[in-house]
């Protein structure tokens, strides 16, 4: 699959990274002589961040190339994404060329944050709104607005690269999310102008309070909880009257003077001017990965999108039970992977081995599983954030109630990093007592044992179950 990115700024570069790291070939058209450098820096951040969301390896990276020929960029593309400046005359010109040059099968999306599809297509262009959020390579939301069939095709592709397509029911200026953002932005400008709060204090109010609630529950579900056992009706009865009070200035805009710009820019510099934009981007990305991984565990919000995408990624066959990139959050003050995450990697490998022999989620839902009773870890070499980590698993014993496995962990370059040996017992989840595994699982374990019977005992094995 191939995508063409037209305009390689912050948003275009994020689109390119999202597609590229999901295995698509990417062609970029941008006359800016600095485009290759700028997009290269975005790619570096994306390669550092996106794989850290997953406990399964993403597909092999596609190819990336730059071209100064628009026809060459879009000629055989399956997806074309326009991210040129937010000027309708420029977009009309570009869309006319894309409609002529791109294949009929291609989705043509515009990253516009404000223009409606009727405005984009008023001169005959074949284009829909496909509005993303920065950083595109981490945040899954894409607002789709336009032709129903075109949007449906776009949605299918977007889900395949781990995104969440939201088809906006009716076209409206600024779609859905940016209308909220503009309302919050207007009120924030007033709070700064009137001396109520600084830029830093406003940011703290968001990130220390409702921002955390919104990340997992959004607006209406948060307020449903706030209504207590009586729910949303009680909340609206209690707080509805305040909507008529003059709390906010959402319909008024402060005069955009040089003094206001200088005031906000000065406060912003004082708040975070000690960090470069690239440092702020990496901080943002590390925090987003941590938040998204937390949400993935519960399946809430954007974490559910990551979990579903991960479940659809291809998984390796035996004996490989782990193949992933080490996230930044697994490292410690020494700059390498912390000891507890070696055990976590071994645990993930055990989980995958259980799936391979039929002790999967469906089996556990039936009331049967394995409990770990002993582990032994050998730390043999350093592992760093961004390293590819692979585990190969040997079955040392699977008869009766016992499951004895030995995981050998390798870095992507083949260096032996660690071994994790684990002993587990099969358990009836209703009684919490040991029992024999189901017939299918026992048979699968016997087959693995037969397949591995001729292999020598792994170096370092035999430390548990003695």
């Amino acid at each position: 699959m191939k995508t063409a990115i037209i305009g390689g700024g912050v948003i275009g570069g994020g689109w390119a990274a999202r597609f590229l790291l999901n295995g698509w070939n990417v062609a970029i058209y941008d006359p800016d002589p600095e485009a290759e450098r700028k997009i290269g820096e975005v790619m570096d951040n994306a390669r550092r961040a996106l794989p850290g969301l997953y406990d399964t390896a993403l597909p092999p990276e596609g190819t990336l190339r730059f071209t100064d020929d628009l026809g060459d960029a879009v000629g055989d593309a399956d997806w074309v994404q326009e991210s040129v400046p937010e000027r309708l005359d420029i977009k009309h010109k570009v869309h006319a060329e894309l409609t002529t040059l791109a294949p009929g099968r291609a989705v043509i999306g515009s990253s516009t944050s404000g223009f409606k599809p009727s405005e984009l297509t008023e001169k005959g262009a074949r284009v829909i709104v496909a509005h993303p959020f920065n950083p595109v390579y981490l945040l899954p939301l894409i607002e789709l607005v336009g032709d129903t069939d075109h949007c449906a095709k776009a949605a299918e592709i977007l889900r395949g690269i781990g995104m969440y397509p939201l088809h906006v029911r009716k076209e409206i200026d600024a779609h859905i999310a940016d209308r909220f953002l503009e309302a919050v932005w207007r009120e924030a400008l007033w709070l700064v102008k009137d001396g109520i709060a600084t830029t830093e204090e406003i940011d703290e109010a968001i990130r220390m309070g409702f921002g955390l609630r919104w990340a997992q529950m959004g607006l209406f579900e948060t307020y449903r909880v706030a209504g207590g056992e009586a729910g949303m009706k009680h909340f609206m009865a209690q707080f509805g009257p305040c909507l008529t009070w003059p709390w906010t200035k959402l319909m008024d805009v402060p005069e955009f003077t040089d003094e206001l710009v200088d005031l906000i820019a000065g406060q912003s510099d004082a708040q975070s001017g000690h960090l470069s934009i690239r440092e702020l981007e990496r901080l943002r990305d590390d925090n987003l990965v941590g938040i998204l991984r937390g949400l993935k565990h519960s399946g809430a919000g954007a974490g559910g999108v990551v979990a579903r995408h991960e479940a659809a990624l291809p998984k390796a066959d035996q004996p490989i039970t782990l193949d992933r990139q080490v996230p930044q959050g697994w490292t410690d003050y020494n700059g390498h992977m912390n000891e507890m995450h070696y055990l976590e990697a071994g645990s993930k490998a055990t989980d995958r081995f259980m799936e391979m022999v039929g002790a999967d989620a469906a089996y556990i839902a039936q009331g049967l599983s394995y409990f770990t009773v002993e582990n032994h870890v050998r730390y043999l070499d350093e592992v760093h954030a961004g390293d590819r980590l692979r585990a190969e698993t040997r079955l040392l014993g699977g008869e009766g109630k016992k499951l004895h496995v030995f995981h050998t962990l390798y870095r992507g370059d083949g260096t032996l990093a660690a071994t994790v040996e684990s002993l587990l017992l099969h358990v009836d989840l209703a009684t919490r007592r040991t029992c024999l595994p189901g017939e299918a699982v026992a048979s699968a374990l016997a087959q693995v044992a037969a397949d591995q019977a001729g292999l020598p005992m792994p170096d370092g094995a035999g430390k548990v179950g003695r």
Side-chain angles (χ1 to χ4, degrees):
M1 303 288 282
K2 176 191 169 183
T3 186
I5 306 299
I6 313 305
V10 171
I11 296 300
W15 272 111
R18 172 68 80 160
F19 276 105
L20 187 75
L21 297 185
N22 277 279
W24 283 55
N25 295 327
V26 176
I28 296 178
Y29 173 84
D30 191 325
D32 180 1
E34 291 289 297
E36 192 162 350
R37 176 191 63 79
K38 293 175 182 176
I39 289 179
E41 292 176 355
V42 174
M43 288 294 176
D44 288 343
N45 282 347
R47 292 186 180 103
R48 180 178 184 270
L50 179 62
L53 292 179
Y54 299 94
D55 297 318
T56 300
L58 289 170
E61 191 173 304
T63 60
L64 174 66
R65 67 185 182 89
F66 292 81
T67 177
D68 57 5
D69 185 325
L70 186 61
D72 174 51
V74 307
D76 56 349
D78 300 284
W79 184 291
V80 179
Q81 188 67 25
E82 168 269 305
S83 301
V84 303
E86 197 77 341
R87 280 179 45 190
L88 194 55
D89 59 331
I90 296 176
K91 290 187 182 292
H92 279 162
K93 180 178 183 300
V94 171
H95 293 162
E97 295 181 87
L98 296 180
T99 300
T100 300
L101 296 172
R105 70 175 188 278
V107 170
I108 303 177
S110 173
S111 296
T112 180
S113 59
F115 293 123
K116 301 187 291 289
S118 58
E119 294 172 305
L120 299 179
T121 60
E122 64 186 7
K123 295 192 175 181
R126 180 174 62 89
V127 62
I128 59 171
V129 170
H131 175 232
F133 292 82
N134 186 38
V136 185
Y137 52 79
L138 283 182
L139 298 185
L141 179 62
I142 302 292
E143 293 178 316
L144 297 178
V145 200
D147 177 78
T148 300
D149 292 340
H150 203 160
C151 286
K153 183 176 182 180
E156 182 179 359
I157 292 173
L158 291 169
R159 282 189 284 267
I161 59 172
M163 308 198 83
Y164 185 85
L166 180 63
H167 192 179
V168 180
R169 293 169 178 267
K170 297 179 180 180
E171 68 169 41
I172 187 173
D173 291 322
H175 324 313
I176 296 175
D178 274 356
R179 294 180 73 88
F180 285 109
L181 292 176
E182 183 180 0
V184 174
W185 172 240
R186 288 187 187 207
E187 188 63 23
L189 292 179
W190 277 116
L191 290 171
V192 174
K193 182 180 185 299
D194 292 344
I196 306 299
T198 66
T199 59
E200 182 172 11
E201 289 164 348
I202 291 169
D203 285 348
E204 297 292 13
I206 295 170
R207 60 190 175 202
M208 297 298 175
F210 63 86
L212 293 172
R213 298 188 311 201
W214 284 5
Q216 48 157 333
M217 285 189 166
L219 179 65
F220 285 101
E221 199 167 61
T222 292
Y223 285 161
R224 178 183 177 85
V225 174
E229 293 182 0
M232 181 61 85
K233 283 189 175 181
H234 174 70
F235 174 83
M236 294 193 71
Q238 186 174 5
F239 291 98
C242 73
L243 296 177
T244 63
W245 300 345
W247 278 6
T248 65
K249 300 181 179 180
L250 296 182
M251 299 309 297
D252 297 321
V253 184
E255 186 179 355
F256 211 67
T257 63
D258 290 342
E259 290 76 15
L260 178 60
V261 171
D262 290 342
L263 175 63
I264 290 177
Q267 290 184 6
S268 180
D269 287 345
Q271 178 183 351
S272 53
H274 61 289
L275 297 173
S276 71
I277 293 300
R278 295 301 174 224
E279 288 172 327
L280 285 170
E281 287 175 342
R282 288 191 289 273
L283 176 62
R284 174 204 65 192
D285 289 356
D286 289 347
N287 291 335
L288 284 173
V289 169
I291 292 167
L292 286 166
R293 285 187 64 84
L295 292 173
K296 184 178 77 167
H297 181 72
S298 66
V305 178
V306 177
R308 289 189 291 274
H309 185 221
E310 180 172 280
L313 293 172
K315 295 180 174 62
D317 297 324
Q318 295 184 28
I320 298 174
T321 50
L322 180 79
D323 188 4
R324 59 160 305 155
Q325 181 171 308
V326 175
Q328 191 72 25
W330 278 19
T331 60
D332 59 19
Y333 47 82
N334 290 318
H336 59 200
M337 192 164 89
N338 183 265
E339 60 193 62
M340 67 179 180
H341 294 296
Y342 286 84
L343 183 57
E344 182 174 352
S347 175
K348 295 291 186 185
T350 296
D351 289 346
R352 176 59 184 146
F353 182 81
M354 287 171 57
E355 290 178 352
M356 289 175 170
V357 297
D360 53 13
Y363 184 80
I364 294 168
Q366 295 170 13
L368 299 172
S369 189
Y370 281 96
F371 285 6
T372 303
V373 295
E374 192 173 350
N375 284 305
H376 180 78
V377 184
R378 295 191 305 154
Y379 306 96
L380 304 175
D381 208 332
E382 290 185 292
V383 178
H384 301 95
D387 283 350
R388 190 78 171 259
L389 189 63
R390 188 183 82 251
E392 295 184 5
T393 298
R394 283 285 305 279
L395 176 63
L396 301 184
E399 305 84 5
K401 302 175 183 179
K402 292 184 177 180
L403 177 60
H404 186 185
V405 291
F406 186 88
H407 309 297
T408 306
L409 304 181
Y410 298 95
R411 291 206 313 257
D413 61 4
T415 299
L416 177 62
T419 64
V420 181
E421 186 175 2
S422 301
L423 180 65
L424 302 92
L425 294 177
H426 192 268
V427 172
D428 182 323
L429 293 175
T431 65
R432 318 303 279 188
R433 295 183 179 277
T434 60
C435 66
L436 291 173
E439 183 178 341
V441 170
S443 176
L445 287 170
Q447 184 61 56
V448 174
D451 292 342
Q452 296 184 353
L455 299 176
M457 181 66 72
D459 182 45
K463 303 294 184 182
V464 304
R466 293 185 294 179

